[in-house]
Amino acid sequence: MPFGLGGSKYRTELQSQLDQLAITYTRQHPRNSSDGRAELCAEIRQTAQEAIAAGQRRAVEKASGYQTIFRAAMESEIRNDYDLWVRRAFDGLV
């Protein structure tokens, strides 16, 4: 998903992907599996790498600290798992 529209576009896309990752923890979501989350994390990582390559590291840094509203509704064990996947997605990039 290449974007050439500046940092806010990348940040918005990354935040949307992080929302999608959080939503995968609902039972009815089709990506509610380790494989589904791994795929989403790979997409997040690809978007972040594209942003960095386009000189938008700051957008990635801001997105990596994004607190999705869905996170607040998670039980602590699930929240910890979500946080682990987010760290994996951004590992070495920020």
Side-chain angles (χ1 to χ4, degrees):
M1 286 181 222
F3 298 108
L5 303 175
S8 63
K9 180 69 175 175
Y10 283 111
R11 190 173 71 241
T12 300
E13 178 63 18
L14 285 164
Q15 289 172 345
S16 174
Q17 289 172 324
L18 289 166
D19 286 342
Q20 286 300 309
L21 179 62
I23 291 168
T24 65
Y25 286 91
T26 62
R27 276 179 237 166
Q28 68 271 18
H29 196 279
R31 283 183 155 176
N32 185 10
S33 68
S34 289
D35 288 343
R37 287 192 260 287
E39 185 179 332
L40 273 169
C41 281
E43 291 173 14
I44 291 166
R45 189 167 186 82
Q46 180 181 348
T47 301
Q49 289 171 326
E50 289 171 4
I52 290 169
Q56 298 298 325
R57 177 174 291 279
R58 184 89 172 121
V60 175
E61 290 170 353
K62 286 184 177 182
S64 70
Y66 171 65
Q67 295 293 311
T68 173
I69 60 169
F70 303 103
R71 186 181 179 276
M74 295 176 185
E75 296 175 14
S76 62
E77 184 178 313
I78 293 172
R79 189 178 311 122
N80 291 339
D81 193 54
Y82 167 80
D83 291 342
L84 177 64
W85 282 104
V86 171
R87 283 193 303 273
R88 286 179 187 168
F90 288 103
D91 186 41
L93 299 178
V94 292

